[in-house]
Amino acid sequence: MYRDKRIRIIVGHYGSGKTEFSVNYALKIAEQGKKVALVDLDIVNLYFRSREKEKVLEKSNVKVISSSIKASAVDIPAISAEAYAPLQNEKYDTILDIGGDPVGARVLGRYNDILKEGSYDMFYVLNANRPETNTLDKAIGYLNAIEGASRKKVTGIINNTHMLKSTTVDDVLKGQKLAKELSQKLEIPIKYIVALESVAEKLPNNLEGEIFPINLYMREDWML
């Protein structure tokens, strides 16, 4: 985490778990005493958006910026002008949670004047249990499409292969195999291996990438 760029862009397929990672990532950075902003730029999907956890995040000193329409259940693609502030203010560690697929990635074009090559990291969240990204060719296809739509280059891969609360070590290792193939093919490093805390502690310590334990903030207790 210490070597990541100040601006981190989180992209991936629907259901990859990118928002869950974004929330956990923001909280971990805030634990280091840094000023953190989490910008919800998902204008595609109404559900499971990082802005839903605004109270939890702001309690931990994470500034949440989302729609200019302050209503969590309103499906309006309205982005607040506030999003520019943490992108331009170097005192902030900024995370951009982007909508799934190439459609969601197009929103980044709005910030081309700020997001110059070398000024950001863009992490591709991979869930090998999703049928749309469960092979090397499919994973490459989505990554290339997101890069094309956003006009930004992926700088790191996140293995977030999961089955929600039923995730096993085997699930994570299955994803790690695909992530490694993707990494070698495209010469993009694996940055993080994401897993529930109870699973993360059982993973081998010689995996490529940093093991990143998470809590499930986006899943309510009654959800599977």
Side-chain angles (χ1 to χ4, degrees), residues 149-160:
S150 66
R151 291 181 286 169
K152 303 288 177 288
K153 288 293 184 182
V154 170
T155 62
I157 297 165
I158 297 174
N159 172 18
N160 190 34

Side-chain angles (χ1 to χ4, degrees), residues 37-100:
L38 176 54
V39 184
D40 180 351
L41 291 180
D42 188 346
I43 60 172
V44 178
N45 183 24
L46 178 61
Y47 305 103
F48 298 109
R49 294 182 56 178
S50 50
R51 71 177 183 175
E52 296 174 21
K53 299 301 172 183
E54 184 171 356
K55 290 182 179 179
V56 173
L57 288 158
E58 294 198 339
K59 187 176 180 180
S60 297
N61 297 317
V62 175
K63 182 178 180 62
V64 178
I65 299 171
S66 59
S67 172
S68 58
I69 308 298
K70 295 299 183 182
S72 61
V74 177
D75 191 10
I76 299 176
I79 299 173
S80 172
E82 282 187 272
Y84 279 98
L87 288 172
Q88 296 171 321
N89 187 342
E90 294 188 359
K91 293 182 180 179
Y92 275 97
D93 278 70
T94 303
I95 299 164
L96 305 182
D97 181 13
I98 307 302

Side-chain angles (χ1 to χ4, degrees), residues 151-219:
R151 291 181 286 169
K152 303 288 177 288
K153 288 293 184 182
V154 170
T155 62
I157 297 165
I158 297 174
N159 172 18
N160 190 34
T161 301
H162 65 86
M163 292 292 287
L164 299 174
K165 297 176 184 178
S166 301
T167 304
T168 66
V169 169
D170 286 343
D171 286 317
V172 179
L173 295 181
K174 168 187 172 182
Q176 187 69 5
K177 181 177 182 294
L178 180 57
K180 192 168 183 178
E181 292 174 358
L182 183 62
S183 173
Q184 292 174 343
K185 181 72 173 180
L186 300 183
E187 298 183 343
I188 300 172
I190 299 173
K191 290 293 297 185
Y192 299 109
I193 305 151
V194 179
L196 293 170
E197 290 184 350
S198 58
V199 177
E201 63 188 16
K202 300 174 185 176
L203 292 173
N205 58 13
N206 62 345
L207 298 177
E208 182 180 342
E210 179 181 341
I211 294 175
F212 193 101
I214 64 166
N215 294 308
L216 291 181
Y217 290 100
M218 301 307 300
R219 305 293 296 186

Side-chain angles (χ1 to χ4, degrees), residues 1-2 4-10 25 29 34 92-97 120-123:
M1 291 176 61
Y2 297 105
D4 297 343
K5 301 288 187 183
R6 181 182 71 83
I7 298 172
R8 293 89 156 178
I9 305 168
I10 313 300
Y25 193 38
I29 297 172
K34 297 183 177 181
Y92 275 97
D93 278 70
T94 303
I95 299 164
L96 305 182
D97 181 13
Y120 64 86
D121 273 314
M122 187 159 85
F123 297 147

Side-chain angles (χ1 to χ4, degrees), residues 112-133:
N112 276 336
D113 57 329
I114 299 173
L115 299 174
K116 305 296 185 183
E117 188 171 350
S119 68
Y120 64 86
D121 273 314
M122 187 159 85
F123 297 147
Y124 177 67
V125 180
L126 175 67
N127 181 356
N129 280 333
R130 297 290 297 180
E132 300 87 354
T133 53

